[in-house]
Amino acid sequence: MLQTRIRQFITSVREGISAGFISGILVIFLILLGIPINLRDIALFVILLVPVIFGVRLARRLHGRGLFHLLRNALVLGLVAALLAYLLMALINRWQEHGVNVTNYFPSVTTDTMTLLSGVPASELFPNPPRDPLTGQYPEGKPLRANPMRLTFDEKTGLEVLGVNVVIGGFYGFLLALIVTGVAGALLGWVFLAARAGQRWKAARAYLSTSPAAHNGVLLLPLAFFALLWLTVGHGLYNASKATYSVLDPVINLGGSAQEVQLLIGFGIILWGLVAVRAAQPNDKGLSYPARLGVCLALIALLIAVGLWRVMGSNIYFVATSRALRGSETLSVLILLAVGLLLVVQNARALRTPGRFEAQFASTQALLVVLLMPLFLNQGQNDVMTIVGINIMLGLGLNIVVGYAGLLDLGYVAFFALGAYAYAFLSSNQIKTGPDGQPAGLKFAGNDEMVIKLAGWIPITVIVTLLVVLVGVRWWQRRNADHRPWTYRPPLIRFPSHPSNGFATLLTVIAIALSVIVASALEGTALYERLFHSASPFVIGIIVGIIAGMLSGIMLGIPVLRLRGDYLAIVTLGFGEIIRLLFTNLRDYTGGPQGVLEIPRPLPAGATGPVGYLWMVYLVLLGVGIIAFFSTRLKQSRIGRAWSAMKSDEDIAQSMGINLVQTKLTAFAIGAAFAGLGGVLFAARQRNIYPNDFRLDVSIEVLSLVIIGGMGSIPGVIMGAIALIGVPEVLRELATYRILVFGALLVAMVILRPEGLLPAPTAQLRERARALVQSRYQAGGGD
Amino acid sequence: MKEHTDHQPILQAIGVTKRFGGLVAVGDLDLTIMPNQIASVIGPNGAGKTTFFNCVSGFYTPEEGEIRFLGHPIQGLRPDQVTARGIARTYQNIHLFKGMTVLENVLVGVHANLRSTPLGALLRLPINNQEEETALARAYELLEFVGLADVADILATNLPYGSQRRLEIARALASNPRLLLLDEPTAGMNPQETEDTMHFIRRLRDERDLTVLLIEHDMSVVMNISDQVTVLDYGRKISEGTPEYVQNDPLVIEAYLGTAADKVDVDLLAS
Ligand SMILES: Nc1ncnc2c1ncn2[C@@H]1O[C@H](COP(=O)(O)OP(=O)(O)OP(=O)(O)O)[C@@H](O)[C@H]1O
Ligand SMILES: [Mg+2]
């Protein structure tokens, strides 16, 4: 009788038991792995969130079975979770009693954790005091450590949940809190369901996407965010009559948290810029061409004016010359005006096409707002933006390899490292001294000569190669003018015929040999020194970094051509580590683990002031822009479709006529070239680089940001970089737990949103194709 | 180079043998197909039909024998090289590109006819733009031809089954082939769809100047549209000729009756 009742009861709360078990395990994990202790509130919050989430889930699963049933289950959920936590603590206590120091095994279970959970002050908690070496006894016969399991009711040890002291404290208090929050979560879920909040939320979202007002709001959000940033910054004012500058108070004074909040607003500007561009629809809002143009011109004028005010009013310059080391006002102003002018011309042309208005407005706005943002951020904030930008470059490069071509590359950091070291070698001012105090080993600063040599060699090679190829191809085409292979079918477009592979190889060899000869012949003359004496190591570094990345990409690509999936991942992972180990161990050439120091900025030596960090940010922005532009063009081309097909099915793609070798190597080479560019900018930003900057973690981070943002999607990669790199930089306290969060996010994304935060939309080509076919049909006279 | 003429076979297999370990999947197969024909290969399950297709399209290299296309040997070439020479195919199990739209799938098929390089794509020179537009127009025309133009922008894998098969054919046609290999084009279709496909294959041959080689299990289709039928059993050719001739060949009847009688409609064979 009793037995059946018990069994019935257990069946009725089965859901609660299993949910409680899982949440209990999660709580234990959080305790053992170490919760973000330095944020006391957040730590408890994270732990207590677990039963809340499971409570809400229970409410959803048991929907319609009655409130009482739900509450009973929720109570069981809390009890089971608390029981598991209690068992863990009991175990820890036992160990402590036996003299085992738990912190040796779980370094994360610090006294802080236990203090946090139990309220027992750290001084009374483990580890035990040393035993008396003679008697083997603890001083005064017993350990000083207090059992952290107790229940208290006072303010001192009371739990603080989100800043509110609940007075109940001690470890039992914590267990109680687990139970209460579990039930509270269930109640919350029940209320939510009862109020049909889900449907209302859906309706709200539907409204957002259909209502014109909401749509316009989304289009204007980047501007709104920019205005917000503008209001939080103190602006300079030039008083013409007294010829003095003064700084006004910001309209919104953020006080101590300005640093973080402004950065977050900055991220918001970027994100909403992307969203607005994406939300734009083929819609002219019924405006005529002059009206459309007028609106866009007003936008450009407004934003450029804001930028000019910032530059002239607050002396924030972003270009420096060797004459104006603090930055040149004239040049900054001219560049701003030039950008404005370019945009005006572009808009005037693009707006002629009907239906382009929204897209044009949104993209012009996003571009300008992002371009102006750095002017309103300080050095630290711009530094974060630079890091995010470099990671976006890496992400976009990896996106080509993984997102477009589907080749899982875990050694991506190698190309990044090669780019960084290429610039470091060519530019570093460090002089390595031997034991005798004399310069020894590789004298980086002595590479000036190499820079001059490369500066001459690169254009010579380009010119010679162009000449050789032009002449050679002409000759080949003339000779083979009437040649038709047996497979001849009329081509789609009559391209100039391609030289055969053998002939192309021959041309390459001739070009290389000739350029070496020409270069070495010229080197003897004084011309060389005179022409390239003041070559900038940065520009040479960029070229060499990109080439180094590209070549190593091809070199990695060749051996792994036949590998797929997991095998490819493992081999590339090994490649990444090999490159890092090479940089670590070839001490005489690379500086070993001490790295390369004193890498100059891409600025005139001695430049100071905002220009130092602004120039860097703008270089990175430019790099991101170029890479994003290239990525889009490649994606929408023949090679992009080949990548996409290859990603889906290699064999079938090959039988569609796709040359797998070429297609794969192109992906590797282009992705690696982007990483090389990123590496050069990274070295220029860091000023000192070490092999440890290029650990496997970097590859994993970049891969995570591509996956979380959305594979194959450029806005997705940008968003991923902000979420995974930018936000942890702002919330420094959380940075330690970054990897943990990455992991959790990755798992969550794979389950909830496998296509990423901002997935790439499918190509909509039909209208264009139909128009093309129609126009051809008409042009052909309807035959 | 000599131009091919109508008397020259478009595809010629001479003593083609393909083994998997001890299993002879295709054994000493001779086959000749003349231009502008519809030729069928039939045979019980596991007879080696798909394996032969794979040999022609470059997935497998036969251990012995020669495959000639327009008089030139093609065995040992990579699949992309075979496609570039003018042979296209579809698959027994549909293999469309996931994550790409219907139109993009066909555009991939045009790949072999395009010349643009990545550099050209970056610069978007006029000639590249022109090529891209031509490719797009060709792909769209093909979709119109197979009746899928209205769904050009949806993901290929979201199409119903019959449309997926037609899309595969459009994708194969996009490379502008001389010879089209169809591996069971009507598998899984209802009678009406089968009928449509049959007309469609005829139209291909008549309007597009194509030679079609197809594998088919549906005897009504085979007997209806084929100019020439080849019967395989255990990798060997047991009969060849016009549909009427093959139908009445005792060897063929025995091969079908003696093996998988469940899949092939024996009544149809006899009729
Ligand atoms: N890659 C392979 N490795 C080993 N054996 C194979 C392979 N491919 C095919 N075979 C074998 O070769 C034989 C011929 O197979 P094939 O697929 O060519 O038959 P088929 O005539 O197309 O049959 P179906 O009508 O079922 O499509 C079968 O016995 C099959 O198991
Ligand atoms: Mg088969």
Side-chain angles (χ1 to χ4, degrees):
Chain A
M1 186 55 203
L2 185 68
Q3 224 174 349
T4 40
R5 295 262 327 247
I6 291 177
R7 195 171 296 154
Q8 266 174 2
F9 178 75
I10 289 184
T11 8
S12 74
V13 295
R14 208 205 249 133
E15 304 270 353
I17 293 177
S18 60
F21 192 72
I22 299 176
S23 47
I25 299 265
L26 279 178
V27 168
I28 290 180
F29 261 121
L30 284 176
I31 296 175
L32 289 185
L33 288 179
I35 29 179
I37 282 306
N38 34 4
L39 292 173
R40 216 186 115 96
D41 285 4
I42 292 187
L44 252 184
F45 177 69
V46 168
I47 292 190
L48 291 183
L49 201 61
V50 173
V52 172
I53 290 173
F54 279 86
V56 172
R57 273 179 53 114
L58 266 189
R60 234 198 298 166
R61 296 185 70 169
L62 301 179
H63 186 50
R65 306 267 303 269
L67 182 60
F68 180 66
H69 183 72
L70 171 66
L71 285 184
R72 195 160 59 176
N73 270 288
L75 200 63
V76 171
L77 159 94
L79 282 173
V80 173
L83 182 71
L84 286 182
Y86 170 82
L87 286 179
L88 174 76
M89 190 53 126
L91 197 69
I92 291 179
N93 273 331
R94 292 283 301 185
W95 280 348
Q96 290 291 134
E97 269 165 27
H98 287 282
V100 180
N101 188 359
V102 181
T103 46
N104 287 348
Y105 300 94
F106 294 101
S108 309
V109 185
T110 51
T111 41
D112 287 342
T113 321
M114 287 309 144
T115 309
L116 172 71
L117 296 181
S118 67
V120 178
S123 57
E124 292 178 28
L125 279 169
F126 41 73
N128 287 325
R131 295 169 203 240
D132 189 320
L134 293 178
T135 58
Q137 295 290 308
Y138 288 110
E140 288 167 38
K142 62 177 172 113
L144 285 174
R145 179 192 53 79
N147 186 344
M149 293 214 263
R150 54 169 107 148
L151 185 65
T152 59
F153 295 96
D154 61 69
E155 289 247 340
K156 218 178 94 216
T157 56
L159 295 178
E160 266 191 42
V161 181
L162 289 181
V164 182
N165 193 318
V166 293
V167 182
I168 300 174
F171 192 73
Y172 292 120
F174 165 69
L175 297 185
L176 212 61
L178 277 184
I179 299 173
V180 170
T181 47
V183 174
L187 270 178
L188 198 75
W190 186 78
V191 169
F192 189 78
L193 284 174
R196 298 175 185 277
Q199 268 136 325
R200 293 211 184 131
W201 173 239
K202 237 181 223 161
R205 284 185 57 168
Y207 171 76
L208 263 184
S209 59
T210 51
S211 118
H215 179 67
N216 291 342
V218 169
L219 284 184
L220 284 171
L221 261 175
L223 212 54
F225 265 70
F226 182 71
L228 198 60
L229 176 67
W230 189 83
L231 289 177
T232 65
V233 175
H235 298 284
L237 202 60
Y238 181 63
N239 188 333
S241 60
K242 290 187 198 159
T244 51
Y245 290 99
S246 55
V247 177
L248 304 175
D249 276 340
V251 180
I252 303 174
N253 199 336
L254 291 170
S257 52
Q259 184 85 5
E260 286 84 7
V261 175
Q262 284 170 353
L263 254 180
L264 289 178
I265 297 176
F267 294 150
I269 291 178
I270 300 176
L271 283 184
W272 282 110
L274 294 176
V275 171
V277 170
R278 202 164 271 196
Q281 284 160 358
N283 185 348
D284 281 342
K285 308 224 176 277
L287 297 175
S288 62
Y289 173 70
R292 279 180 265 160
L293 187 60
V295 172
C296 286
L297 289 193
L299 175 78
I300 296 171
L302 171 76
L303 286 174
I304 292 290
V306 168
L308 288 179
W309 180 16
R310 184 71 180 166
V311 167
M312 303 200 294
S314 309
N315 296 346
I316 305 242
Y317 311 133
F318 50 85
V319 261
T321 61
S322 42
R323 292 246 193 85
L325 290 176
R326 290 194 60 82
S328 153
E329 173 164 355
T330 330
L331 273 182
S332 302
V333 167
L334 281 181
I335 288 180
L336 265 181
L337 289 177
V339 168
L341 200 66
L342 268 180
L343 281 174
V344 168
V345 173
Q346 196 267 342
N347 271 290
R349 279 186 52 189
L351 283 173
R352 248 172 241 278
T353 331
R356 287 278 305 158
F357 174 62
E358 275 194 11
Q360 200 58 38
F361 182 83
S363 49
T364 307
Q365 175 192 216
L367 186 76
L368 273 175
V369 157
V370 170
L371 275 183
L372 291 182
M373 180 178 63
L375 297 178
F376 296 90
L377 300 179
N378 62 26
Q379 175 156 17
Q381 293 164 332
N382 269 312
D383 242 23
V384 173
M385 287 294 171
T386 313
I387 296 183
V388 172
I390 289 175
N391 274 286
I392 295 176
M393 290 168 124
L394 291 181
L396 288 177
L398 188 66
N399 182 42
I400 290 201
V401 185
V402 180
Y404 291 173
L407 305 162
L408 187 52
D409 183 354
L410 290 184
Y412 191 64
V413 70
F415 313 123
F416 183 49
L418 282 167
Y421 268 92
Y423 176 52
F425 284 152
L426 293 176
S427 68
S428 166
N429 294 321
Q430 182 189 7
I431 294 177
K432 285 180 65 191
T433 47
D436 51 353
Q438 290 298 309
L442 184 70
K443 204 174 91 183
F444 295 118
N447 287 351
D448 294 352
E449 222 168 279
M450 179 130 75
V451 171
I452 295 173
K453 245 186 230 174
L454 282 171
W457 196 67
I458 291 168
I460 288 175
T461 315
V462 170
I463 294 170
V464 169
T465 312
L466 275 182
L467 282 178
V468 169
V469 168
L470 264 183
V471 172
V473 169
R474 251 305 136 74
W475 177 80
W476 189 89
Q477 280 168 353
R478 197 162 294 170
R479 231 192 88 212
N480 295 289
D482 306 323
H483 173 80
R484 282 189 176 185
W486 59 271
T487 53
Y488 181 79
R489 279 163 299 146
L492 275 185
I493 290 289
R494 205 174 289 271
F495 261 78
S497 51
H498 277 295
S500 63
N501 280 345
F503 188 70
T505 321
L506 185 74
L507 274 188
T508 320
V509 172
I510 292 177
I512 292 176
L514 252 182
S515 54
V516 168
I517 293 171
V518 173
S520 49
L522 276 182
E523 217 182 307
T525 66
L527 188 72
Y528 220 87
E529 185 80 7
R530 194 176 312 153
L531 274 182
F532 302 111
H533 179 68
S534 55
S536 153
F538 184 71
V539 176
I540 306 300
I542 282 192
I543 297 174
V544 174
I546 290 177
I547 293 176
M550 226 168 189
L551 289 183
S552 57
I554 293 174
M555 264 160 47
L556 167 70
I558 289 173
V560 301
L561 275 174
R562 288 171 175 280
L563 301 180
R564 294 180 190 186
D566 313 347
Y567 301 102
L568 178 66
I570 290 183
V571 173
T572 50
L573 189 149
F575 177 76
E577 283 296 282
I578 287 172
I579 297 285
R580 182 176 67 82
L581 288 176
L582 279 182
F583 282 128
T584 314
N585 292 326
L586 294 177
R587 284 157 197 272
D588 292 344
Y589 302 100
T590 65
Q594 281 81 36
V596 184
L597 314 178
E598 293 180 50
I599 303 166
R601 289 175 303 180
L603 272 173
T608 50
V611 74
Y613 55 85
L614 280 180
W615 188 228
M616 203 62 235
V617 155
Y618 279 115
L619 275 179
V620 170
L621 266 181
L622 190 67
V624 168
I626 290 175
I627 289 180
F629 176 71
F630 280 6
S631 295
T632 356
R633 284 216 159 170
L634 286 171
K635 171 88 188 275
Q636 296 162 354
S637 73
R638 176 179 184 235
I639 186 83
R641 291 190 299 266
W643 283 334
S644 186
M646 196 170 73
K647 180 184 179 188
S648 168
D649 192 326
E650 248 178 47
D651 293 323
I652 309 303
Q654 191 180 23
S655 102
M656 288 297 119
I658 291 168
N659 184 331
L660 290 185
V661 175
Q662 270 177 20
T663 311
K664 281 188 183 181
L665 288 187
T666 316
F668 274 121
I670 294 178
F674 291 170
L677 177 59
V680 173
L681 290 174
F682 178 75
R685 185 205 106 99
Q686 297 291 90
R687 319 282 304 273
N688 308 311
I689 56 168
Y690 310 94
N692 257 2
D693 292 335
F694 308 104
R695 282 191 317 258
L696 176 65
D697 309 19
V698 180
S699 297
I700 306 260
E701 266 177 29
V702 176
L703 186 65
S704 324
L705 72 87
V706 172
I707 293 177
I708 287 175
M711 284 229 249
S713 153
I714 292 170
V717 170
I718 296 176
M719 178 144 184
I722 288 178
L724 290 196
I725 311 291
V727 173
E729 284 286 339
V730 178
L731 306 173
R732 269 276 155 196
E733 292 88 346
L734 284 180
T736 335
Y737 302 92
R738 197 151 75 170
I739 296 294
L740 196 74
V741 175
F742 279 12
L745 258 181
L746 273 180
V747 173
M749 288 303 296
V750 168
I751 295 171
L752 296 176
R753 218 179 141 88
E755 69 279 11
L757 290 173
L758 279 180
T762 49
Q764 302 294 308
L765 296 168
R766 177 166 173 242
E767 284 314 313
R768 187 156 158 249
R770 201 172 56 183
L772 274 173
V773 170
Q774 257 166 17
S775 70
R776 259 155 222 255
Y777 187 70
Q778 278 155 9
D783 49 34
Chain B
M1 294 281 160
K2 68 182 174 216
E3 279 290 312
H4 87 280
T5 59
D6 272 1
H7 321 300
Q8 189 194 13
I10 190 160
L11 186 77
Q12 208 177 4
I14 308 160
V16 169
T17 303
K18 175 71 200 171
R19 299 188 193 92
F20 294 112
L23 176 84
V24 181
V26 177
D28 198 21
L29 180 68
D30 293 326
L31 186 70
T32 301
I33 297 164
M34 300 305 285
N36 252 314
Q37 274 196 338
I38 296 177
S40 299
V41 178
I42 61 171
N45 289 126
K49 307 177 295 286
T50 301
T51 305
F52 174 64
F53 268 31
N54 283 338
C55 289
V56 174
S57 57
F59 282 117
Y60 299 151
T61 309
E63 275 92 30
E64 285 161 35
E66 202 177 26
I67 302 174
R68 290 169 163 271
F69 178 58
L70 296 172
H72 296 262
I74 56 165
Q75 78 273 23
L77 293 181
R78 291 193 311 265
D80 54 311
Q81 294 172 318
V82 173
T83 307
R85 277 158 179 70
I87 301 180
R89 68 170 289 185
T90 66
Y91 300 86
Q92 186 170 357
N93 316 311
I94 298 173
H95 285 294
L96 291 170
F97 296 120
K98 293 186 289 288
M100 299 178 89
T101 63
V102 170
L103 192 57
E104 283 179 309
N105 262 276
V106 183
L107 276 172
V108 173
V110 193
H111 184 96
N113 291 171
L114 305 181
R115 293 287 165 269
S116 286
T117 57
L119 193 64
L122 287 187
L123 300 178
R124 288 219 178 142
L125 301 176
I127 193 163
N128 299 108
N129 283 338
Q130 207 185 335
E131 186 186 65
E132 201 62 7
E133 284 177 0
T134 320
L136 200 56
R138 147 104 65 107
Y140 191 75
E141 275 169 348
L142 277 169
L143 284 181
E144 281 180 336
F145 183 66
V146 299
L148 290 175
D150 291 338
V151 288
D153 275 344
I154 73 169
L155 286 182
T157 37
N158 291 347
L159 285 181
Y161 189 79
S163 307
Q164 291 201 6
R165 285 224 172 267
R166 272 183 292 157
L167 175 56
E168 257 210 339
I169 297 178
R171 186 180 67 178
L173 290 176
S175 69
N176 191 14
R178 283 257 170 80
L179 173 65
L180 181 64
L181 312 179
L182 302 175
D183 199 340
E184 305 203 12
T186 66
M189 287 189 177
N190 62 32
Q192 184 53 46
E193 285 173 332
T194 305
E195 182 80 4
D196 292 345
T197 309
M198 226 157 70
H199 287 299
F200 177 65
I201 293 173
R202 272 217 198 87
R203 265 178 70 205
L204 280 181
R205 192 252 315 257
D206 299 339
E207 293 177 18
R208 299 210 154 237
D209 190 26
L210 264 172
T211 311
V212 180
L213 174 60
L214 72 150
I215 296 176
E216 193 43 82
H217 273 299
D218 188 332
M219 285 306 140
S220 65
V221 174
V222 174
M223 298 307 156
N224 222 321
I225 64 172
S226 308
D227 299 314
Q228 172 195 333
V229 180
T230 306
V231 189
L232 296 189
D233 193 17
Y234 292 112
R236 301 197 176 263
K237 181 162 82 176
I238 55 171
S239 179
E240 187 171 48
T242 59
E244 295 77 33
Y245 171 78
V246 167
Q247 239 166 11
N248 299 318
D249 190 337
L251 269 173
V252 178
I253 295 172
E254 192 199 307
Y256 271 95
L257 286 177
T259 55
D262 50 348
K263 183 153 183 192
V264 176
D265 202 346
V266 182
D267 291 344
L268 260 170
L269 261 180
S271 68

